[in-house]
Amino acid sequence: MTAVANFFTRIVNRYMPDPLVVAIILTGLTLVFAMIWEGTNFVDATRYWGDGFWNLLAFTMQMTVILLAGYILAKTPLVDRLMDRVVAGIHTPQAAVIAATLFGGIGSWLNWGFGLVLGTLIAQKLGQKVKGLHYPLVIAAGYSGFAVYGVGLSGSVPLLINTPGHFLESSIGLIPLSETIFSPYLIVMNLLIIVTLPLFNAMLHPKAGEKIIEAKRITPTASETSDQPQKYDTLADRLNNSPVIGIGMGVFGLIYAVLYLLDGGGITLNFVNLLFLFLGIALFVTPNRFLAAVNDGVRVVGGIIIQYPFYAGILAILAGSGLVVTFSNWFVSFSSAETLPLWSFISAGLINIFVPSGGGQWVIQGPVMTEAAHQLGASIPATALAVQIGDQWTNMVQPFWLLPALAISGLKLKDIMGYMVLILFYLGVIFGVTCGIWGIMGATA
């Protein structure tokens, strides 16, 4: 297994550019595909790109806040101490890889921003502590837990189609979470991933005598290790470091979250963002500590902020030229009621390489797939979630969502991509089988 991983690592090291360059290359490929397959001329394709460049600003902010809120929560003293306790009991490289995968997976199911950061942070801590641990692999393992984000509590598609007023409500209605996130198919799938993916990742660790890259040791500064209480001489300093203000604002936001649920509100992206943001404020205790974590987190989300418009432009070309509809319809043309979810999964995975956005992709691909589900008699929940699963599947090798892990770990994309390719193949089997079974059972129900 390590020989295969080394093969892909060598290939990636030689040919894989940085994430921004990948986004630019994908833009060029999309232009070419639109001109060749849809007959779109260069001028029109360029207009689509420019007009759509800022179309996903609202969604970009949602994605940025959910990642930033997850980062803040993962950096709170309470969570940080819990991570230290976990790390303290791990002494072997294989156990470290397993732990990083588990924390990344469970955290991503709860909140994708939290899990994406938690998996990387605990992998970083393990890299500092465990001797002989291959640092690129443990970071890849921590990120691989992100593979369950779309079928977790913050998954964009299941939350969107459960939100009153969503753009497809007139055709598919509201689909409750009991038929998506909490369906038996996804519960079994997630359990299978949580149990087997850590073991698969552990098998990838280099054997004794093979090349191992350990993490660079970081020495804490005096300010980070000092237990001396700080003195605040001015009123402004006392207010900035007031537990009353910090905890009070955090609790106030959490009270609203409870009232919102009691009033019948659903679990939406905005609700999840609010919950994690104010939980972070409360756990940091003071405004100053909270803002310090925010400033640190901006470095992690910076790549996403600047690159999302590029992918919005790609999405605009795909939509304006009709390329994504043509591509989706091609898969629909040879689908049946039983196989539509499987082909929806595969087509969504391929489209996600060009547009790494479950919500943005669903806006274009969702109407095609749900209309096909109506005509073929396929399961609507299975078809919709298959699109989401395809999205989370190829996120394993989509450089865009790897940016936070790379920013935290200090690694380059080429350092971990070889492992991510193998993880992609492994997860593809589990996801494909799940979508296939769900499609067969859903069509006959």
Side-chain angles (χ1 to χ4, degrees):
M1 188 69 73
T2 54
V4 179
N6 290 335
F7 168 77
F8 282 113
T9 299
R10 287 193 300 270
I11 295 296
V12 170
N13 280 336
R14 186 168 184 176
Y15 298 108
M16 177 66 73
D18 288 332
L20 179 59
V21 178
V22 173
I24 295 172
I25 292 173
L26 289 175
T27 301
L29 288 174
T30 308
L31 278 168
V32 172
F33 292 157
M35 289 188 289
I36 291 175
W37 286 328
E38 297 298 326
T40 305
N41 63 61
F42 176 80
V43 173
D44 287 341
T46 303
R47 286 196 179 106
Y48 293 145
W49 177 82
D51 292 344
F53 197 77
W54 302 114
N55 276 355
L56 292 180
L57 275 182
F59 189 68
T60 301
M61 180 55 67
Q62 281 185 315
M63 296 297 100
T64 302
V65 170
I66 201 170
L67 178 58
L68 184 60
Y71 178 86
I72 290 168
L73 187 60
K75 294 290 286 187
T76 57
L78 174 62
V79 176
D80 191 61
R81 286 194 296 269
L82 290 175
M83 286 194 292
D84 285 337
R85 289 185 180 181
V86 170
V87 168
I90 296 173
H91 307 286
T92 67
Q94 285 75 17
V97 172
I98 290 172
T101 310
L102 283 173
F103 274 83
I106 295 172
S108 293
W109 190 87
L110 294 172
N111 171 279
W112 71 259
F114 177 61
L116 181 58
V117 172
L118 179 67
T120 305
L121 286 177
I122 203 162
Q124 186 183 48
K125 286 178 177 288
L126 289 164
Q128 292 289 313
K129 175 184 180 293
V130 179
K131 297 291 184 181
L133 175 60
H134 190 48
Y135 190 51
L137 174 59
V138 77
I139 294 298
Y143 174 79
S144 69
F146 188 53
V148 300
Y149 96 92
V151 291
L153 297 181
S154 61
S156 52
V157 172
L159 291 184
L160 182 63
I161 60 180
N162 186 47
T163 301
H166 73 85
F167 74 99
L168 288 177
E169 184 176 2
S170 61
S171 61
I172 67 174
L174 295 178
I175 300 181
L177 298 183
S178 60
E179 296 182 24
T180 56
I181 295 173
F182 299 112
S183 73
Y185 304 102
L186 294 191
I187 291 175
V188 172
M189 184 189 79
N190 284 334
L191 288 175
L192 183 62
I193 291 173
I194 291 297
V195 171
T196 65
L197 182 59
L199 300 176
F200 177 82
N201 288 340
M203 291 172 57
L204 300 179
H205 196 276
K207 303 296 187 293
E210 296 179 333
K211 183 179 179 181
I212 291 176
I213 301 173
E214 294 188 339
K216 295 179 180 179
R217 305 299 166 186
I218 301 174
T219 303
T221 63
S223 61
E224 291 174 326
T225 57
S226 174
D227 293 327
Q228 295 297 320
Q230 294 184 337
K231 296 181 180 180
Y232 306 111
D233 297 326
T234 67
L235 176 61
D237 284 339
R238 288 194 292 272
L239 290 174
N240 290 338
N241 293 276
S242 168
V244 174
I245 293 178
I247 296 176
M249 189 67 245
V251 171
F252 181 71
L254 294 175
I255 290 174
Y256 168 77
V258 173
L259 293 174
Y260 170 82
L261 292 177
L262 291 176
D263 291 339
I267 301 177
T268 64
L269 284 174
N270 287 338
F271 172 78
V272 172
N273 278 341
L274 182 142
L275 181 65
F276 275 68
L277 187 63
F278 284 96
L279 186 59
I281 293 175
L283 291 177
F284 266 111
V285 180
T286 71
N288 246 5
R289 293 175 185 170
F290 173 76
L291 288 176
V294 171
N295 291 334
D296 193 31
V298 168
R299 172 179 59 88
V300 175
V301 302
I304 289 178
I305 294 172
I306 199 63
Q307 288 192 37
Y308 223 113
F310 283 88
Y311 287 102
I314 293 173
L315 178 61
I317 297 173
L318 292 172
S321 68
L323 188 60
V324 69
V325 175
T326 298
F327 185 73
S328 299
N329 280 331
W330 180 70
F331 277 92
V332 169
S333 67
F334 49 79
S335 297
S336 64
E338 292 79 13
T339 63
L340 181 63
L342 176 60
W343 291 121
S344 297
F345 155 69
I346 294 173
S347 63
L350 294 174
I351 292 173
N352 182 64
I353 296 295
F354 291 86
V355 188
S357 160
Q361 178 179 336
W362 175 251
V363 171
I364 307 301
Q365 192 177 9
V368 178
M369 292 307 181
T370 53
E371 177 61 25
H374 277 304
Q375 294 180 5
L376 295 172
S379 166
I380 295 290
T383 302
L385 267 292
V387 174
Q388 178 72 86
I389 293 170
D391 173 271
Q392 67 186 25
W393 174 45
T394 50
N395 274 342
M396 294 298 97
V397 293
Q398 221 303 334
F400 182 74
W401 291 118
L402 283 161
L403 287 169
L406 298 176
I408 294 171
S409 66
L411 294 174
K412 296 291 186 181
L413 179 62
K414 60 185 180 181
D415 295 328
I416 67 173
M417 186 58 81
Y419 297 108
M420 299 314 306
V421 171
L422 289 177
I423 292 169
L424 175 83
F425 290 153
Y426 178 73
L427 289 173
V429 174
I430 296 177
F431 289 152
V433 170
T434 300
C435 292
I437 293 175
W438 197 357
I440 293 171
M441 299 303 294
T444 58

